[in-house]
Amino acid sequence: MEENTGSFAVKKGLAQMLKGGVIMDVVTPEQAKIAEEAGACAVMALERVPADIRADGGVARMSDPDMIAGIIDAVSIPVMAKARIGHFVEAQILESLGVDYIDESEVLTPADNDYHIYKHDFKVPFVCGCRNLGEAMRRIGEGAAMMRTKGEAGTGDVVEAVYHARTVLGDIRRLQSMPIEEVMTFAKEIGAPFEILMETRELGRLPVVNFAAGGIATPADAALMMQLGVDGLFVGSGIFKSGDPAKRAAAIVKACTHYNDASILAEVSQNLGEAMVGINVSTMPEEEKLAGRGW
Amino acid sequence: MKIGVLALQGAFAEHIVMLKKLGAETAEIRLPQQLDDLDGLIIPGGESTTMGKLMVDYELLEPLREFGLAHAMWGTCAGAILLAKDAHREQPLLNLMDITVERNAFGRQVDSFEAALDISSLNLESDAPFHAFFIRAPIIESMQGEAKALVTLPDGRIVAAQDGNLLATSFHPELTGDTRFHEYFLSLVKEN
């Protein structure tokens, strides 16, 4: 029997198993256990959640491998970790640690201002951020096996998550309704690889799983993104920067499953304590926004 | 014939596509009352701890167990874990199939693989090899009572088993275009 590891279908397959679930940022093994207990379908191991990266400033890099290994040992669910945009050596290190997914993330300080990692070279799958269809198509072209709309990480303001999800899904609707002879020019305009764009047109959705991220802080935010049509959610600072992380985490998981049931949403939204202190994105200077990172 | 797919988390949409291809009526199941008019149920791949937690919180554990005592049920990957009596770990299980499973038996995601399986034991019209995806997959470590192995890897490890009207596969037929396992499950639903 021939066994084949690291194929694109196998990489994409894990993301398919995460659908309908919530991936939570955690900074310690204890937080990872709280997340697993609350029903997270995976955790993102990192040293600082985006809200703290924002507050601290400086260069944000890959986390300490020892800390990531501690989280891998603590839970049975998949563990993801972040590498800087273009930093293929951080990615090699994360792959050797046995992380289940690498997030080539704009939340960390980019290591390359022109190029992303060539992700087909790795056995470990990658997830990347996007704000529009062209960006998603370029990342998939480089080998990303999962996408997430970027939103604006570490703000607790869902407005950019909504904008990016609507943009990607709207671009796909436009792609599907245009006559076929217009697709090549559309590909040129949005900087998308033509073949992947054609596949997307055929499928009526991205050819890989697409989660929402960046600013989701409440069960209602979670259900909003699901109703808009994403496959699942990343919640970063929204959980462990809130008053009662375990309760909020469990509530967001339930909201992600029962996103169409307003009475359940009302019930899980009760008495969650303080939500994270938010930063209003509309008053934020352009240079402080993370979503613009990525080429 | 109406088949439910448990839609708490995971790859439920993929199963629904396969079932529709075969002409079955389908329903996404999230709450106990939605089990009422079903002829069979699939528990998809996903995270077994996530699904188990949501089963407990929405009081699905006992209704699903009762459903499985009287109807055909199929679990893929995480679903197979949830059908088992033992997963070597404290987590909610349906306790339906006389099997013991080992979670993440092949390792982490970098060890996930695809492989061609011999499925001649299913006695289907076509016994061409089945191209299967193993994603952080469990194995069926041992079986008790009436449970029997259906498909094994060349090294003898069991990756599909049947116990009466209950079916468990540690791989994901819903990720392929190959409907033969879904057809086999529908035949179990009919027999039941």
Side-chain angles (χ1 to χ4, degrees):
Chain A
M1 181 187 67
E2 266 187 50
E3 284 188 14
N4 182 9
T5 58
S7 68
F8 194 65
V10 162
K11 293 174 175 178
K12 211 170 90 167
L14 177 56
Q16 287 174 279
M17 297 309 135
L18 300 174
K19 287 200 304 185
V22 183
I23 301 167
M24 301 181 192
D25 279 3
V26 297
V27 302
T28 62
E30 291 68 37
Q31 286 188 356
K33 282 183 192 149
I34 292 170
E36 181 176 45
E37 180 60 29
C41 67
V43 291
M44 176 75 69
L46 72 177
E47 264 169 8
R48 292 177 291 170
V49 295
D52 289 332
I53 290 175
R54 234 174 234 296
D56 296 352
V59 177
R61 309 179 178 88
M62 175 188 82
S63 298
D64 183 340
D66 181 57
M67 171 267 176
I68 295 168
I71 288 173
I72 289 176
D73 286 343
V75 293
S76 68
I77 54 178
V79 176
M80 301 185 168
K82 289 184 195 286
R84 282 180 268 177
I85 289 172
H87 206 316
F88 49 84
V89 174
E90 283 188 350
Q92 290 162 7
I93 292 169
L94 293 174
E95 181 176 55
S96 83
L97 286 175
V99 305
D100 297 298
Y101 243 94
I102 294 177
D103 183 4
E104 187 185 17
S105 178
E106 70 283 0
V107 168
L108 304 184
T109 311
D112 193 317
N113 280 335
D114 296 303
Y115 307 109
H116 282 253
I117 298 170
Y118 186 68
K119 295 165 272 286
H120 283 299
D121 278 350
F122 289 78
K123 267 193 177 181
V124 63
F126 281 76
V127 55
C128 287
C130 65
R131 290 162 299 167
N132 52 51
L133 187 60
E135 200 172 12
M137 298 287 96
R138 291 192 294 279
R139 297 296 86 78
I140 295 167
E142 293 156 358
M146 177 179 183
M147 294 305 305
R148 54 174 175 76
T149 49
K150 286 179 178 171
E152 193 53 43
T155 62
D157 188 346
V158 80
V159 66
E160 294 291 288
V162 168
Y163 176 52
H164 296 153
R166 279 200 185 276
T167 304
V168 170
L169 298 167
D171 285 349
I172 294 172
R173 286 189 287 269
R174 198 147 69 90
L175 170 67
Q176 278 194 292
S177 62
M178 68 179 58
I180 196 161
E181 65 272 19
E182 294 181 9
V183 176
M184 182 58 88
T185 298
F186 184 57
K188 185 180 77 175
E189 282 165 7
I190 67 172
F194 178 72
E195 298 300 335
I196 299 171
L197 201 61
M198 286 299 283
E199 189 188 349
T200 303
R201 176 180 155 103
E202 196 73 24
L203 293 169
R205 56 155 296 138
L206 292 185
V208 301
V209 166
N210 182 34
F211 274 39
I216 297 156
T218 68
D221 290 349
L224 173 66
M225 298 315 298
M226 292 300 288
Q227 286 196 26
L228 282 174
V230 300
D231 296 320
L233 307 165
F234 283 88
V235 183
S237 321
I239 290 170
F240 287 98
K241 282 284 160 191
S242 74
D244 188 345
K247 197 169 176 190
R248 184 168 294 265
I252 290 177
V253 168
K254 288 175 187 170
C256 186
T257 294
H258 298 285
Y259 65 91
N260 268 326
D261 189 327
S263 66
I264 291 184
L265 295 174
E267 187 193 306
V268 303
S269 299
Q270 287 170 25
N271 303 318
L272 294 179
E274 290 281 311
M276 72 176 281
V277 180
I279 304 172
N280 191 329
V281 177
S282 60
T283 57
M284 181 183 268
E286 265 322 295
E287 62 273 17
E288 284 181 23
K289 289 188 185 169
L290 305 175
R293 298 165 167 180
W295 341 116
Chain B
M1 197 168 12
K2 188 170 175 186
I3 310 295
V5 181
L6 194 69
L8 297 175
Q9 188 269 325
F12 51 88
E14 286 79 350
H15 273 295
I16 288 172
V17 169
M18 297 294 267
L19 291 166
K20 283 194 171 148
K21 261 193 211 171
L22 296 173
E25 200 189 330
T26 60
E28 293 182 5
I29 306 300
R30 294 181 174 86
L31 294 168
Q33 59 270 30
Q34 296 165 338
L35 291 167
D36 288 350
D37 58 342
L38 300 180
D39 301 302
L41 182 88
I42 296 177
I43 305 182
E47 279 307 314
S48 62
T49 51
T50 303
M51 289 190 237
K53 157 112 183 123
L54 289 161
M55 281 180 191
V56 172
D57 290 347
Y58 289 96
E59 289 169 358
L60 267 159
L61 218 45
E62 206 40 49
L64 280 172
R65 197 179 136 66
E66 273 166 30
F67 185 88
L69 291 172
H71 300 86
M73 234 163 127
W74 174 20
T76 55
C77 195
I81 295 167
L82 289 162
L83 285 179
K85 290 204 165 157
D86 188 359
H88 294 304
R89 195 174 177 279
E90 278 285 315
Q91 68 178 84
L93 299 176
L94 293 175
N95 237 331
L96 276 167
M97 270 183 93
D98 250 333
I99 56 172
T100 300
V101 295
E102 188 194 350
R103 290 182 59 193
N104 302 333
F106 299 92
R108 305 197 64 84
Q109 172 61 15
V110 287
D111 308 302
S112 292
F113 62 98
E114 39 187 294
L117 301 176
D118 176 0
I119 59 161
S120 50
S121 66
L122 268 60
N123 292 317
L124 301 173
E125 241 169 73
S126 156
D127 63 357
F130 191 89
H131 193 84
F133 294 92
F134 292 83
I135 315 275
R136 287 171 47 97
I139 54 161
I140 297 153
E141 190 187 77
S142 62
M143 294 169 302
Q144 301 80 34
E146 303 287 299
K148 59 176 202 277
L150 276 186
V151 180
T152 56
L153 294 174
D155 63 10
R157 286 191 283 184
I158 302 160
V159 291
Q162 188 178 337
D163 183 2
N165 48 350
L166 304 170
L167 179 65
T169 58
S170 59
F171 50 93
H172 296 281
E174 76 280 12
L175 297 187
T176 66
D178 190 336
T179 54
R180 285 179 294 166
F181 259 91
H182 288 80
E183 283 166 50
Y184 183 73
F185 176 65
L186 292 184
S187 75
L188 290 183
V189 176
K190 261 186 218 137
E191 273 170 35
N192 197 59

